[in-house]
């Protein structure tokens, strides 16, 4: 029997906006501005920030893309995108008209050397008639594949746009940061030849989530939880990023990338480091990232035999999602009929340090699962005595008391939930599991900023704490590349595990945990 004790207060009809800092004005150059990320996330995020007066003054956006467009056409396209974006708030024609004045567009191939000189000329033109002492702050956003990133970076350097003589110059690089360890190192070396590490912001939007940032406060700011956060009390940890959608229009991308590279190699490994890291001496970029790096270095790369034993790769087949039949992955457009690319991946990692020795960390991510859910579930060990190991619930029925679980939910809601055992009302000794739940927005009556808003503001302020450092990227690929190589070899690779769309994933993923006496939480959040 399960009951919920909820500390959430009634959500008000209008949530207050969290206060934003005053930041220096700048000009943002978005490479790949005609793509989906700019339309769905970046421009809506800048619109929301501009509506809050942050940044103010000389704030402009120059979009660069292969699609031929005028400034006016770009503004119309972005208006349609922002007005329909779920994250856009306070959209009105008047506000858009004011924001649209900040948008410009340059048609050009981002990998073409000549386009960078055109960008430099357009930026210079924007500062015509401005006072000489006006800071020329530039933020370059690479919303492009990593294969194009190197050419863009070299071009920016050749055009003198990495210079900070008249203001700061920073660059945001979207994941994936390479395809394997060698390509990640090559990309990092290219970046290092043009920009200093202090100018580089490798973005993983998961780290902009309010709940993940609060995870450090939850762990290190509360004497109630930190003493339990170790191998003495924790049985196992599971980290899930599940989607109920298929690959859709991203099929061609997925055929080259897959679930392991797309989500686990960056998003979930970053979540793992925040979950497992030691307390930093301060909440600043160097201190936090050093502790995250320690976690990654405490994980040993898998040998081929371990890959077969501790990984699962799956692919969805035709099934029912929300009552509607959907095609299998191999039936999607731009997908090979015999594709072996995974749409689901589950990995068991072991952290070989004092705090976590012997505690398995299970990571899983998949497409077309039964729901949309991203969460961290920390399963505590059972109590070391049998007094309430199980109680009777009537004739012939025995109820086992479930171990305590601490769940940090990142989406669809940002919340923290703690389950524990309690006695049911009545004269008999009957027990059940109850849940204490905390939801951010309804408790604080504030709307959390979108992850991209948070990270873009941090980049403009020059705060790299929530961004990935060069050595972190290479350590992540040190762990992922042996798995990719083993999967590609065929000899030591686990076979493709097929699962119906609309389910919790392949049975092989359940078996991965069952070998250690563990179980996944259902994607709907139930154990």
């Amino acid at each position: 029997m399960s009951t919920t004790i909820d500390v959430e207060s009634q959500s008000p009809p209008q949530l207050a906006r969290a206060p934003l800092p005053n930041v220096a004005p700048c000009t943002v150059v978005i490479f790949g501005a005609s793509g989906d990320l700019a339309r769905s996330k970046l421009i809506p995020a800048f619109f929301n920030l501009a509506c809050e007066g942050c940044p103010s003054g000389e704030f402009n956006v120059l979009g660069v893309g292969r699609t031929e467009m005028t400034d006016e056409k770009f503004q119309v396209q972005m208006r349609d995108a922002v007005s329909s974006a779920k994250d856009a708030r306070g959209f009105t024609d008047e506000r858009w008209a004011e924001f649209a004045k900040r948008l410009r567009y340059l048609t050009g191939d981002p990998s073409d050397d000549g386009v960078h000189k055109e960008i430099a000329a357009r930026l210079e033109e924007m500062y015509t008639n401005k006072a000489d002492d006006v800071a020329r702050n530039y933020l370059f956003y690479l919303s492009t594949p990593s294969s194009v990133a190197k050419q863009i970076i070299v071009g920016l350097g050749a055009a003198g746009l990495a210079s900070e003589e008249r203001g700061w110059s920073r660059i945001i690089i979207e994941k994936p940061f390479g395809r394997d360890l060698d390509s990640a190192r090559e990309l990092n070396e290219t970046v290092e030849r043009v920009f200093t590490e202090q100018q580089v912001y490798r973005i993983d939007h998961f780290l902009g989530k309010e709940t993940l940032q609060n995870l450090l406060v939850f762990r290190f700011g509360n004497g109630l939880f930190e003493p339990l956060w170790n191998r003495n009390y924790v049985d196992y940890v599971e980290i899930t990023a599940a989607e109920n959608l298929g690959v859709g229009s991203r099929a061609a991308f997925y055929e080259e990338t897959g679930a392991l590279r797309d989500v686990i190699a960056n998003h979930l490994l970053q979540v793992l480091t925040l979950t497992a890291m030691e307390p930093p001496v301060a909440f600043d970029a160097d201190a936090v990232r050093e502790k995250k790096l320690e976690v990654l270095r405490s994980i040993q790369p898998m040998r081929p035999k371990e890959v077969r034993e501790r990984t699962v790769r799956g692919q969805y087949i035709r099934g029912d999602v929300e009552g509607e039949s959907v095609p299998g992955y191999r039936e999607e457009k731009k997908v090979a009929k015999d594709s072996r690319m995974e749409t689901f991946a589950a990995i068991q990692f072991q952290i070989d340090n004092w705090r976590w020795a012997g505690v398995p960390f299970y990571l899983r991510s998949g497409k077309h699962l039964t729901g949309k859910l991203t969460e961290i579930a920390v399963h505590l060990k059972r109590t070391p005595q049998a007094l309430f190991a199980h109680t009777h619930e009537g004739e012939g029925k025995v109820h086992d008391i479930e171990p305590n679980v601490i769940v940090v939910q990142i989406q669809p809601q940002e919340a923290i939930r703690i389950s524990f055992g309690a006695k049911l009302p009545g004269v008999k000794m009957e027990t059940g599991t109850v849940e204490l739940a905390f939801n951010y927005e309804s408790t604080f009556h504030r709307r959390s900023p979108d992850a991209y808003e948070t990270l873009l503001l941090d980049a403009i302020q020059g705060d790299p704490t929530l961004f990935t450092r060069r050595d972190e990227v290479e350590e992540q690929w040190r762990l992922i590349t042996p798995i990719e190589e083993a999967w590609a070899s065929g000899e030591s690779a686990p076979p493709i595990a097929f699962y119906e769309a609309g389910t919790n994933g392949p049975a092989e993923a359940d078996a991965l945990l069952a070998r250690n006496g563990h179980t996944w939480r259902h994607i709907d959040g139930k154990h």
Side-chain angles (χ1 to χ4, degrees), residues 58-59 116 118 159 162 205 223 231 261 289 295 369 487 502:
E58 294 297 326
F59 167 64
H116 302 94
E118 294 183 53
H205 74 271
R231 60 186 171 83
R261 283 192 179 102
R289 295 195 290 186
V295 174
L369 298 176
W487 283 6

Side-chain angles (χ1 to χ4, degrees), residues 7 9 25 30 71 113 185 200 221 297 306 356 389 393 409 419 432 443 451 453 517:
V7 299
S9 56
I30 302 175
D71 290 352
D113 292 339
R185 284 173 173 164
V200 182
R297 287 176 173 168
E306 292 174 310
W356 296 113
E393 287 187 340
Q409 190 176 94
S419 66
T443 299
E453 293 175 38

Side-chain angles (χ1 to χ4, degrees), residues 3-7 407 416-420 434-438:
T3 307
T4 297
I5 300 175
D6 203 332
V7 299
V407 178
I416 294 176
R417 306 179 187 281
I418 304 172
S419 66
F420 55 94
V434 298
E435 185 178 82
L436 191 67
F438 154 68

